[in-house]
Every structure is written in C-alpha cells, then in structure tokens.
Amino acid sequence: MDDRHSHYDVIVVGAGLGGLYAVHRFRRDGLDVRCLESAAGVGGVWRHNRYPGARVDIESHDYCYYFSEDLYREWNWTERYASQPELLAYLEHVAERFDLNRHIRFDTRMEGADWRPGEKRWEVRTSTGETLTADFLVMATGNLSEARTPDFPGIDDFDGQWVMTAHWPEEPVELEGKRIGVVGTGSSGAQVIPVLADRAAELHVFQRTPNFVVPARNGAPVAEVINKVRADYATERAWMRAAGGNHVQYFLADFDSLDAEGRRSLLEQQWERGGHGMSYVFLTQGVFKEHNDVVAEFVREKIRETVKDPETAENLSPYDHPIGSRRLVIDTNYYETFNRDHVSLVDLREEPIDRITPHGIRTTAREYPLDLLVFALGFDAYVGAINATDIRNADGERPADGWQRRPLTLLGLMTKGFPNFFFLTGPGSPATLANLFAENEYHVDWVADAISHLRQRGYRTIEPTDEGQREWTAVLDKTSAPLLRRHVRNYMTHSNPDGTRYFIPYAGGLHTYIKLADEIAANGYRGFTLGQ
Ligand code: NAP
C-alpha cells in the first residue's frame, strides 16, 4: 500500500460497494484519498454475509456499477440474481481493475473522529493506534451493515456453535447431519433456511413475524437487458438514473379499471415473473388498504397451495402488515421447505423464546435440542454503523445526540453541526428503498462535485443549515404521508416511546430524489452553509 503521510483530502470509511467507487472517483478528481476498512479485504456486506444461499434480490444487470462502460461490457454475470460469492468476486475485480487496493488500509477500523474547528479538518483515530487527518470524512459504512447480535439469556452457556448470517464465518461451518435452529425470517433467514434444510438432520425455524415471500425465479442473466445496455450505454446509463436504477418493468395497473379476473391474471403473471414487481402490480396498492388486501390475499392463497400442513401454512401467512409495507422477501423454495419432514416452524407469537440452554433453545412451551444456532436477526439500520464509531463535532457531540426523536439530515447525506462529514445512503435518503449500487454511485458523485465546488470557490467547509434540514424533513414526511408502509413496525420506521413514528428513508423514488439533490446543488447548495 502506498502510504507515506497522515493528512489526506478525504478519508473514506468502508471498502464496500460505496467505498470502492468513492476511492475511484476521488482519485479521478485528483484528491489524495485513504480508505479505512476493518476487514482483510474489500466487499463490505457482500464479504460478511457469506451465509449459504446468500444472493441479491435485484437483478444482476442493474445491481452493479454503471460508472464504467468497459466494466459493464467485460463482466459477465452467470445468474439473474448474483450469489454472494459472485458479487464478492465482482467487487474484488473492481478493486484490482481500477487499482484501488493501494489506497485502502485493510484490517484497520476507524475507532473515532473529532472535528478540529481551528484546522477545519477531521482527526481520525484507527484501531492500529494511528491518528490521520482529512479535510473531508466520508462514511461508506452502509445502512444494513451493523448486525443485531443475539442477546438471548443463556447464549454464553450454549454447548454447540452459534453463528450470525451477517457475519458468517470464513472457515467452514459443519452443517451435515446437524440439528439446526434458525431465528429470524427476513430476507436473510428466508435465503439460508432452504439451503440449510438440504444439509441438516433437523431444522427448526423460529419465526416471530411472518413476511410475504415471493419467488425470485432465478436463472440465466437477462441477456435482453444486458445487450440493450451494452448497445447504447450512454443512453441507458442516463435512463437508469432517470428511472431510479432499475430496468424492471412493473405492471402499475389501474386497480379500478380491472375486474376481479383481470386483477387475478396480472397477479398470476407477476407471480410467474418473480421478484419485487409483486409490490407494484397496482398503482395504488401501497396507498389503499383495500387494493393491497387483494394482492396480500393472493400471496396467502399461494402459501396455502404450497404448504401442505394447514396449520403451518396459516402460521406462515402474514396478516399484520400490508404486502410491500415491509421489504418483500424474494426467495427460492422457501415455503416448499416447510413440507420437508425434518423441517418445523416454531411460532414465537405462541411460544416466545425463554432462553438459550446448554442444549438448545427453550421457548415458553418446550426445549428444542440443537447443535447449531443460526441468527438472522437483521440490522441496526441506517444509523447503526454511524453510531458504532465515536464521531464528535466541535462541541463533543455525536451525530445521534440530535437524533433521539428521529434522524435529522439533509438529503440523508449530512447532518447539522458536523462540517465536511458525509454519510452515503444515510437516513433520509432512499437508502434501502433503492438499488444501492445506483444510489451509492449517485451519492459519491454528489459529494465529489460538492468538494470541487467548494475548492474552486475557496470554501473549506460545508454543512446543513437548520432550515435546510427542516425543509428536507418536511419533504420526507410529505412523501411518506400517504403510504401504508409508514405505519408498519420494522427497521424502516423510527418509533418513540410516546407513540410517534417516522418513516426513515426518502420514499419518493431514487429518480425523484436525484432531481431534488441535483437542484439543491445547482442552486449553490441551497440549505447548506459553505464556510471559508
Ligand atoms: P430483517 O428483515 O430485519 O429480519 C430480521 C428477522 O429477525 C425478523 O424475522 C425479525 O422478526 C427477527 N428477529 C429479530 N430479533 C428477534 C428476536 N429477538 N427474536 C426473534 N426474532 C427476532 O433482517 P434481514 O433478513 O437481514 O434483512 C434485512 C434487509 O437486508 C432486507 O430487508 C434487505 O433489504 C437486505 N437483504 C437483502 C438480501 C437480498 O438481497 N436477497 C438478503 C438479505 C438481506 P420481526 O420481524 O418480528 O422483527
């Protein structure tokens, strides 16, 4: 690694998909950049979430970088939905192809950072005991990266092995013939469960809230789209941004213009297509409960058709939230897995986990003897990675100090009181509602352009104003106001003890977000204050 000094124009934290492009873009702009990465290699979440069955739920032709036409031409995906090993290989290829590794310090965690107002720079402490400084600090630490660790009583007494999907060990985990318990049935749980079932002697799935799960229909990459993009790259790239980073054609049919048979036919077509389109069969299903109910009941019927045991089918069927109001889970053989004799569903609503014992999991009803526990408990979304490190402004405050009631940001990129501190895909950006390759690329470009803007005009600092942040918060609330998903309890909503609940990401779509963020930049960074 090329490292001769300790002051940089920019320090980027994290060498996942956002951090890699950040290093590339900042280098291309002639900035002196250093990336800090706690792992031994690049990849971020696609390095850590190496559980069996891990794959992306957005099609490979979209879930990749668009910043380089050559890269898009030379990389050939092998599946419609890339698996974790293939995504990691792709990110490793990108790091080599663009000579990024020499700007990254691996095995180095950022322990904390302090803003030094006199020098107008960030002082960054690392796990290797060094102090580096930078004019700009860019957190590329992801919004679904800080995993929830299991804190069940008794976990330390468990005699077998326990693992987390979000930090699946690099060394092989013995699965063959084991009695395995999986806790958590979100996207990660639903992917790992069918694969574990192939190897386990017994598999017990501990489910707290059923999710709507729709088939991925994985297969060969969609050559039609890839060829189209390669044939007219510039147009397609521009279109990707204008369309929100997605080539999927959703039905978005007018619910009222169809009769029951017409609706059913579209739902069947979408079920056969697979993927996220089930959230967008009717234009209004995310807003009107009665429209949503038709889609939800269609999926519940599919569950009843697939799962042979009626009681298990009922326990797997979600009734407590509208379909698409939590992230739709995209799977291969999830419901089918519950027809296997050695697989059981444990409904935690009926029998909550009491504790982990040396021999397994004890619920309020009985003990399940197990050799291996797999926790797929999700993430401290949006703010977890920012809070996990000790970042302090000039007054010694941390970003979350002002976020008790809800995260407050401008564009989900910066927060007031923290000059020159950017977080990619943060709270208040489209974040988990967007294709994260597309959003990270856009965010990095926005930050890089902002830095050039400052430097060309002799400014040294940028941070949101109170008013800018208030206006953006109003935009967030207005955009999410009509949506059913705003009322749902999951990682996308921030709930307070007094009952107030806020939807965290920007819900208007990446394409609309890009227009708003471009406008803010074009208007001299309206809502931000630029300082000398
Ligand atoms: P998640 O959707 O938040 O699911 C976490 C699961 O753990 C839920 O079933 C949750 O139950 C359960 N859980 C948490 N704490 C528990 C406890 N104390 N006792 C029992 N159950 C508990 O997390 P995830 O599955 O990792 O997915 C998160 C997001 O990551 C996804 O929405 C997606 O955006 C992304 N992701 C994508 C892919 C993909 O591309 N295919 C794969 C994995 C993840 P409750 O629902 O009751 O809280």
Side-chain angles (χ1 to χ4, degrees), residues 51 55-57 144 148 152 183-188 191 208-209 326-327 348 376-379 489 491:
Y51 57 86
R55 67 175 66 251
V56 66
D57 61 3
L144 287 169
R148 278 198 212 117
F152 298 98
V183 187
T185 53
S187 300
S188 306
Q191 285 188 332
R208 192 164 65 179
T209 310
R326 292 173 138 215
R327 188 179 171 92
L348 298 180
L377 302 179
F379 300 88
R489 179 189 61 79
Y491 68 79

Side-chain angles (χ1 to χ4, degrees), residues 47-62:
R47 181 179 188 86
H48 298 297
N49 287 257
R50 56 178 69 224
Y51 57 86
R55 67 175 66 251
V56 66
D57 61 3
I58 297 179
E59 289 160 312
S60 314
H61 53 251
D62 288 338

Side-chain angles (χ1 to χ4, degrees), residues 206-467:
F206 295 83
Q207 171 196 266
R208 192 164 65 179
T209 310
N211 284 304
F212 288 97
V213 182
V214 303
R217 311 275 181 222
N218 192 21
V222 188
E224 193 190 331
V225 175
I226 295 171
N227 293 338
K228 189 167 155 237
V229 174
R230 287 177 176 170
D232 187 357
Y233 195 81
T235 309
E236 287 295 319
R237 189 183 183 215
W239 182 85
M240 273 283 280
R241 281 205 168 168
N246 210 324
H247 277 93
V248 177
Q249 295 301 301
Y250 298 126
F251 283 116
L252 290 177
D254 175 6
F255 185 90
D256 290 322
S257 69
L258 294 164
D259 60 11
E261 206 178 311
R263 288 173 197 147
R264 172 101 207 165
S265 159
L266 280 191
L267 289 165
E268 287 288 0
Q269 285 179 55
Q270 184 53 53
W271 187 259
E272 284 315 309
R273 267 186 200 179
H276 282 290
M278 194 55 83
S279 294
Y280 309 99
V281 176
F282 306 115
L283 202 54
T284 43
Q285 72 182 70
V287 179
F288 298 131
K289 177 75 169 47
E290 49 293 13
H291 297 186
N292 192 286
D293 283 345
V294 172
V295 187
E297 187 48 29
F298 173 85
V299 175
R300 286 192 289 261
E301 267 177 43
K302 291 289 181 193
I303 300 172
R304 289 192 283 271
E305 272 170 31
T306 311
V307 179
K308 291 187 187 130
D309 173 47
E311 191 186 333
T312 306
E314 198 53 19
N315 289 340
L316 285 166
S317 298
Y319 290 95
D320 73 331
H321 64 277
I323 185 167
S325 61
R326 292 173 138 215
R327 188 179 171 92
L328 212 55
V329 175
I330 311 295
D331 85 304
T332 302
N333 290 335
Y334 179 65
Y335 292 126
E336 289 82 351
T337 299
F338 292 92
N339 291 331
R340 303 181 72 167
D341 289 339
H342 67 300
V343 177
S344 82
L345 181 72
V346 181
D347 188 349
L348 298 180
R349 294 166 300 181
E350 289 295 317
E351 42 173 313
I353 293 177
D354 176 29
R355 64 180 296 113
I356 312 286
T357 70
H359 313 296
I361 294 182
R362 193 168 78 206
T363 66
T364 51
R366 56 166 279 205
E367 182 174 37
Y368 294 82
L370 298 163
D371 305 307
L372 174 67
L373 307 182
V374 175
F375 295 103
L377 302 179
F379 300 88
D380 183 2
Y382 310 113
V383 297
I386 299 172
N387 292 345
T389 172
D390 189 29
I391 297 158
R392 306 263 172 188
N393 68 10
D395 297 325
E397 294 159 342
R398 305 180 64 184
D401 289 346
W403 293 357
Q404 262 100 16
R405 279 195 69 72
R406 64 185 301 181
L408 292 172
T409 72
L410 179 43
L411 290 172
L413 266 169
M414 298 194 86
T415 189
K416 185 180 177 292
F418 292 78
N420 298 6
F421 174 65
F422 298 93
F423 31 87
L424 308 181
T425 71
S429 76
T432 49
L433 298 180
N435 169 346
L436 283 168
F437 267 98
E439 185 177 347
N440 269 291
E441 266 192 39
Y442 178 73
H443 267 178
V444 169
D445 287 341
W446 194 97
V447 173
D449 291 345
I451 292 174
S452 323
H453 180 95
L454 295 179
R455 293 206 157 166
Q456 279 162 15
R457 287 160 183 79
Y459 291 112
R460 292 180 66 194
T461 60
I462 178 169
E463 70 171 293
T465 61
D466 256 333
E467 199 191 343

